[in-house]
C-alpha cells in the first residue's frame, strides 16, 4: 500500500493506464488535424475522433452525431445553458435550476440573468433532493430549460432525472443535466432518462483532463445551441476549435472501459463505501450528509461534530480527501451545498467527503477508517466544544464572541 | 497549501492541552470564536500572587493553524507577567509559525483568546478589564 491514499475521486480520477496507452499514438505518429480532409495525417486523426465519438455515444445510449466534444464539463455546462438561452430566448426567458448545482451551472445561469433571463434556483430538501412538486410549480409559460444535475459532486445524491425530464417535456421545456459525476459510474441513458442536453468530463471517469462532451439531442426534439466559441465551425458549428485529438481518443477509451466495467465496479465500490461509512458512523456524533439510498456508489460525505474539517484533514495526512469546511476555501464560507441541506454551519465545517474510485483497495479503505477514527478522537481531545458537549452544555445557549 | 514545519510540530504534538478549574479566582478563561465560524478557542491561564502566569492550557476547535497558534500561545504565556502577556501580538505568532495570509485570522483568534483570558482573570479579582482594540476581523 502506498501512502498517501487517494480518496478524492470526485475531484478528479487518476487516468486508467489503458487510456494513456490508447492516447499515446495521437501525440506523435497520428498527430494530424482531424479537420484536414486531404491527406492521410488528417484521416488518421479523424478516424481516432470518430471512433471515440462512437465509444462515448455508446456509454450513454446516444447517437454519435449527438456528441459535441469540449474542453470539459465547465465548458459543456456553459454551452448548454447560454447556448439554449440564446437559441430559444424568443420562446421564453425562464430557466429552472437548483441551489446545489456546480458553480459552472450556477454562474452560467447568473450570466443568463444579466442577458435578460429569469432563473429560478430551487431549494433542496434536507436529503439533498429537489421536490418534484416544487419543480412543477416553478414552471411557467416562459420556461425553456430545466437544468438539474444528475449526481451531486459533494454528497453524491442522485436526482430523480426521469421524473424531472417528464415534467420538463410535459410543459414544453428542455431538460439539461450536468452528469459529470454520474456518467461512467452508474448507468446513464439519454433516451430512458429523457435527457436533451448532458454535460460530462473525461477526468472524472479515468480519462484525461481538459476534455469533455456535451450531448445534444438530435431527434424528438431536435435541440440546437448557439455556439459560444466562434471559429472554424467544428462540431456541427456548435463548438469551434481544432479538436483535441489525443484527449478525445482518451475520453473515448475511458467511456468504453466504464461501459464494460462500471456495473461490477459499482458493486465493489458501494460495498467498500458502505464498510467505510458503517465503521465511521460508529463514532459518536457522526452524521452522513445527503440521501443514502439515491446516491452514487463511491461517495460518502460524513460530518464529525465538534471537530473542524481542515484540522481533521491535517491529522489524516496520509489520506487525500476533501472537506466542506470554510477553512479550506478562500471565501471563508463553508460549503454552500451542505448549507443548502439545512446543515448548521458547525456541521458543515465538520464534514469530510470520501470519494472512492477504480483503484481504491479494501486495504486502503481499512487504513482510512483507522486514520479517521484516530484523527477524530485526537481532535476531540483538543476540542473545547467536545468537552462542553460531554459536560452536557447546550452549545446553542452559549454566547459566542463571533467575529 | 503546505503547512510550515512549526505548524505541523505544534499540531502533531500540541503543548499544554487541557483544562484549568475556571471556578478558581487565580484562573482566567478566554473563550473566543464561534462554532459557526469554524473556530473556537479556549485559553486558560493560572496566575500567581505576583501577577505571573504559572500555567496555561488550551483547547481549540479549528484548523491546523488555529491549533498551532493556541499551542504556541500557551508556551509563550508560561512565566510571563500579565503585562508582558498583554503585549503578545498576533503578528508575532504569524511570524513564528510562518502562517500564510489566509491563516492570519487564526493568529488573531489566539491574541483575542489571550486578552480575553487576562481580562477574565482581572474582572474576577476586582480589577478593571484592559481595553482591547477590537475590529481586526
Ligand atoms: C458536477 C460537476 N460539474 C462540473 C464540473 C467541472 O468539470 P471540468 O473540470 O471538466 O470543467 C465538475 C468538476 O469539478 C463537477 O463535479
Ligand atoms: S480556524 Fe479557520 S482557517 Fe484557521
Amino acid at each position: 500500500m502506498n501512502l498517501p491514499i487517494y480518496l478524492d475521486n470526485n475531484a478528479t480520477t487518476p487516468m486508467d493506464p489503458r487510456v494513456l496507452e490508447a492516447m499515446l499514438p495521437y501525440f506523435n505518429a497520428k498527430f494530424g488535424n482531424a479537420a484536414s480532409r486531404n491527406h492521410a495525417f488528417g484521416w488518421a486523426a479523424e478516424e481516432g475522433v470518430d471512433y471515440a465519438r462512437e465509444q462515448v455515444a455508446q456509454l450513454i445510449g446516444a447517437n454519435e452525431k449527438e456528441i459535441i466534444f469540449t474542453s470539459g464539463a465547465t465548458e459543456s455546462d456553459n454551452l448548454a445553458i447560454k447556448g439554449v438561452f440564446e437559441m430559444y430566448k424568443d420562446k421564453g426567458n425562464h430557466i429552472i435550476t437548483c441551489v446545489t448545482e456546480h458553480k459552472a451551472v450556477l454562474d452560467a445561469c447568473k450570466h443568463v440573468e444579466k442577458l435578460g433571463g429569469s432563473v429560478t434556483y430551487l431549494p433542496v430538501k434536507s436529503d439533498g433532493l429537489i421536490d418534484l412538486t416544487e419543480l412543477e410549480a416553478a414552471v411557467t409559460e416562459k420556461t425553456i430549460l430545466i437544468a438539474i444535475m444528475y449526481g451531486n459532486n459533494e454528497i453524491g445524491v442522485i436526482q430523480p432525472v426521469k421524473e424531472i425530464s417528464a415534467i420538463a417535456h410535459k410543459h414544453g421545456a428542455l431538460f439539461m443535466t450536468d452528469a459529470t459525476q454520474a456518467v461512467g459510474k452508474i448507468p446513464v441513458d439519454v433516451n430512458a432518462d429523457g435527457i436533451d442536453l448532458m454535460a460530462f468530463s473525461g477526468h472524472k471517469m479515468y480519462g484525461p483532463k481538459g476534455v469533455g462532451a456535451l450531448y445534444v439531442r438530435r431527434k424528438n426534439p431536435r435541440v440546437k445551441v448557439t455556439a459560444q466559441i466562434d471559429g472554424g465551425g467544428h462540431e456541427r458549428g456548435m463548438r469551434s476549435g481544432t479538436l483535441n485529438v489525443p484527449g478525445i481518443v482518451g475520453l473515448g477509451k475511458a467511456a468504453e472501459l466504464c461501459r464494460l466495467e462500471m456495473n461490477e465496479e459499482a458493486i465493489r465500490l458501494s460495498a467498500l463505501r458502505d464498510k467505510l461509512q458503517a465503521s465511521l458512523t460508529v463514532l459518536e456524533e457522526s452524521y452522513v450528509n445527503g440521501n443514502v439510498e439515491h446516491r452514487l456508489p463511491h461517495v460518502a460525505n460524513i460530518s464529525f461534530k465538534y471537530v473542524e474539517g481542515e484540522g481533521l484533514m491535517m491529522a489524516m495526512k496520509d489520506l487525500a480527501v476533501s472537506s466542506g469546511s470554510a477553512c479550506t476555501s478562500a471565501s471563508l464560507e463553508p460549503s454552500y451545498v451542505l448549507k443548502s441541506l439545512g446543515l448548521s454551519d458547525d456541521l458543515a465545517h465538520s464534514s469530510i467527503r470520501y470519494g472512492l474510485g477504480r483503484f481504491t483497495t479494501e486495504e486502503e479503505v481499512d487504513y482510512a477508517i483507522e486514520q479517521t477514527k484516530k484523527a477524530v478522537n485526537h481532535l476531540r481531545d483538543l476540542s473545547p466544544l467536545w468537552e462542553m458537549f460531554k459536560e452536557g452544555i447546550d452549545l446553542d445557549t452559549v454566547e459566542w464572541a463571533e467575529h | 497549501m503546505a503547512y510550515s514545519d512549526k505548524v505541523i510540530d505544534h499540531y502533531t504534538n500540541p503543548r499544554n492541552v487541557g483544562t484549568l478549574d475556571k471556578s478558581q479566582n487565580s484562573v482566567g478563561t478566554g473563550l473566543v470564536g464561534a462554532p459557526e465560524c469554524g473556530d473556537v478557542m479556549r485559553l486558560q491561564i493560572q496566575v500567581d500572587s505576583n501577577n505571573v502566569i504559572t500555567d496555561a492550557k488550551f483547547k481549540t476547535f479549528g484548523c491546523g493553524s488555529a491549533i498551532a497558534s493556541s499551542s504556541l500561545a500557551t508556551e509563550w504565556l508560561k512565566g510571563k507577567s500579565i503585562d508582558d502577556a498583554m503585549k503578545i501580538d498576533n503578528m508575532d505568532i504569524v511570524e513564528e509559525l510562518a502562517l500564510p495570509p489566509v491563516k492570519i485570522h487564526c493568529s488573531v483568534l489566539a491574541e483575542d483568546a489571550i486578552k480575553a483570558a487576562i481580562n477574565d482573570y482581572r474582572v474576577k479579582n476586582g480589577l478593571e478589564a484592559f481595553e482591547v482594540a477590537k475590529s481586526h476581523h
Side-chain angles (χ1 to χ4, degrees):
Chain A
M1 190 172 61
N2 290 324
L3 297 178
I5 293 168
Y6 189 71
L7 290 176
D8 203 9
N9 285 279
N10 298 87
T12 193
T13 53
M15 211 163 70
D16 192 299
R18 295 168 290 181
V19 171
L20 177 63
E21 205 181 315
M23 289 169 71
L24 286 175
Y26 292 89
F27 285 105
N28 40 39
K30 301 183 181 183
F31 67 88
N33 185 328
S36 298
R37 290 280 148 76
N38 304 314
H39 51 64
F41 297 91
W43 301 330
E46 191 187 19
E47 203 177 85
V49 169
D50 287 348
Y51 189 58
R53 210 183 289 282
E54 275 172 39
Q55 289 170 312
V56 170
Q58 246 192 334
L59 174 64
I60 59 170
N63 181 288
E64 67 270 11
K65 294 204 182 77
E66 298 174 309
I67 305 299
I68 307 294
F69 289 120
T70 66
S71 64
T74 299
E75 187 191 335
S76 299
D77 285 333
N78 274 270
L79 176 57
I81 289 164
K82 297 175 185 171
V84 162
F85 178 75
E86 274 192 55
M87 182 62 67
Y88 298 95
K89 62 174 181 287
D90 295 337
K91 241 187 105 211
N93 70 340
H94 183 226
I95 293 176
I96 301 173
T97 185
C98 83
V99 292
T100 54
E101 292 292 316
H102 191 268
K103 285 286 180 198
V105 167
L106 293 175
D107 289 354
C109 286
K110 292 258 146 58
H111 182 91
V112 161
E113 284 182 288
K114 284 198 203 116
L115 301 177
S118 140
V119 181
T120 301
Y121 300 90
L122 289 177
V124 293
K125 298 179 285 186
S126 60
D127 65 356
L129 298 179
I130 62 162
D131 181 333
L132 293 169
T133 322
E134 256 178 81
L135 169 66
E136 188 148 23
V139 178
T140 72
E141 279 163 20
K142 298 224 159 128
T143 307
I144 49 172
L145 180 70
I146 295 179
I148 302 286
M149 71 199 321
Y150 210 116
N152 183 271
N153 44 306
E154 285 192 37
I155 51 179
V157 299
I158 300 171
Q159 298 288 356
V161 283
K162 280 197 183 84
E163 289 79 0
I164 297 169
S165 67
I167 291 172
H169 297 150
K170 183 171 143 197
H171 296 278
L174 296 173
F175 173 54
M176 178 262 169
T177 188
D178 176 345
T180 309
Q181 296 287 345
V183 167
K185 312 292 169 46
I186 55 171
V188 170
D189 184 301
V190 289
N191 292 313
D193 292 337
I195 295 165
D196 298 312
L197 301 113
M198 180 168 80
F200 52 106
S201 188
H203 74 99
K204 308 277 186 183
M205 49 194 267
Y206 312 101
K209 293 174 179 58
V211 63
L214 179 66
Y215 160 80
V216 183
R217 177 172 288 282
R218 254 166 67 97
K219 262 208 311 237
N220 309 317
R222 184 183 179 86
V223 178
K224 283 199 191 151
V225 293
T226 303
Q228 301 298 309
I229 296 179
D230 298 313
H234 307 75
E235 298 299 275
R236 294 171 45 228
M238 289 190 246
R239 202 278 190 180
S240 288
T242 297
L243 295 184
N244 167 9
V245 179
I248 289 168
V249 167
L251 175 61
K253 184 66 187 180
E256 179 186 292
L257 294 173
C258 286
R259 180 171 58 81
L260 297 173
E261 297 175 5
M262 77 180 160
N263 289 338
E264 260 175 64
E265 195 164 285
I267 293 169
R268 186 181 77 87
L269 290 183
S270 66
L272 287 182
R273 188 269 317 271
D274 292 346
K275 177 180 188 183
L276 177 90
Q277 180 174 304
S279 312
L280 293 182
T281 45
V282 166
L283 289 168
E284 254 180 289
E285 295 293 310
S286 56
Y287 303 92
V288 179
N289 297 313
N291 189 302
V292 294
E293 267 139 48
H294 303 282
R295 187 169 51 154
L296 296 169
H298 58 295
V299 194
N301 188 309
I302 306 177
S303 287
F304 302 98
K305 211 170 175 186
Y306 311 117
V307 297
E308 191 281 323
E310 189 193 348
L312 189 54
M313 288 201 298
M314 191 172 165
M316 311 189 296
K317 62 178 186 327
D318 291 330
L319 303 185
V321 291
S322 86
S323 168
S325 157
C327 304
T328 60
S329 78
S331 69
L332 296 177
E333 280 295 323
S335 148
Y336 67 93
V337 171
L338 294 177
K339 288 198 69 178
S340 64
L341 307 184
L343 231 65
S344 60
D345 277 5
D346 55 333
L347 271 179
H349 281 294
S350 302
S351 71
I352 298 287
R353 177 185 68 187
Y354 297 88
L356 282 52
R358 182 174 291 167
F359 305 104
T360 305
T361 64
E362 178 152 19
E363 192 189 10
E364 290 177 331
V365 169
D366 290 339
Y367 187 82
I369 293 168
E370 285 321 304
Q371 280 265 304
T372 307
K373 283 187 174 170
K374 245 203 312 216
V376 170
N377 289 329
H378 169 65
L379 286 178
R380 282 183 172 167
D381 287 343
L382 293 185
S383 168
L385 304 178
W386 179 249
E387 183 182 305
M388 290 159 105
F389 164 72
K390 282 285 162 185
E391 284 169 357
I393 297 169
D394 179 358
L395 294 177
D396 292 333
T397 64
V398 177
E399 258 192 58
W400 299 106
E402 292 198 36
H403 56 291
Chain B
M1 177 190 39
Y3 295 98
S4 72
D5 290 345
K6 281 187 179 153
V7 169
I8 292 173
D9 177 36
H10 275 280
Y11 178 82
T12 0
N13 306 299
R15 332 284 200 258
N16 308 311
V17 176
T19 310
L20 298 173
D21 180 0
K22 63 173 180 278
S23 66
Q24 286 195 12
N25 273 349
S26 57
V27 170
T29 301
L31 181 66
V32 296
E36 297 80 60
C37 307
D39 36 35
V40 174
M41 212 175 261
R42 190 192 62 200
L43 202 142
Q44 295 184 299
I45 49 172
Q46 171 102 44
V47 186
D48 72 7
S49 51
N50 301 320
N51 265 338
V52 171
I53 297 170
T54 54
D55 200 4
K57 297 272 183 216
F58 85 95
K59 280 199 176 187
T60 291
F61 163 84
C63 74
S65 307
I67 289 170
S69 297
S70 34
S71 168
L72 176 67
T74 57
E75 266 194 333
W76 280 357
L77 285 171
K78 282 207 224 177
K80 274 208 171 56
S81 70
I82 291 276
D83 288 339
D84 286 342
M86 274 309 279
K87 290 183 201 142
I88 295 176
D89 186 82
N90 80 289
M91 289 315 286
D92 303 336
I93 298 174
V94 169
E95 209 170 296
E96 173 69 17
L97 296 177
L99 298 181
V102 291
K103 296 294 177 186
I104 289 181
H105 80 269
C106 317
S107 70
V108 170
L109 207 62
E111 183 190 323
D112 287 355
I114 294 172
K115 299 201 158 126
I118 291 173
N119 276 335
D120 179 60
Y121 166 78
R122 287 180 60 89
V123 169
K124 262 187 185 169
N125 290 281
L127 300 166
E128 220 175 289
F130 286 127
E131 283 272 338
V132 177
K134 275 262 165 194
S135 83
H136 12 230
H137 303 291

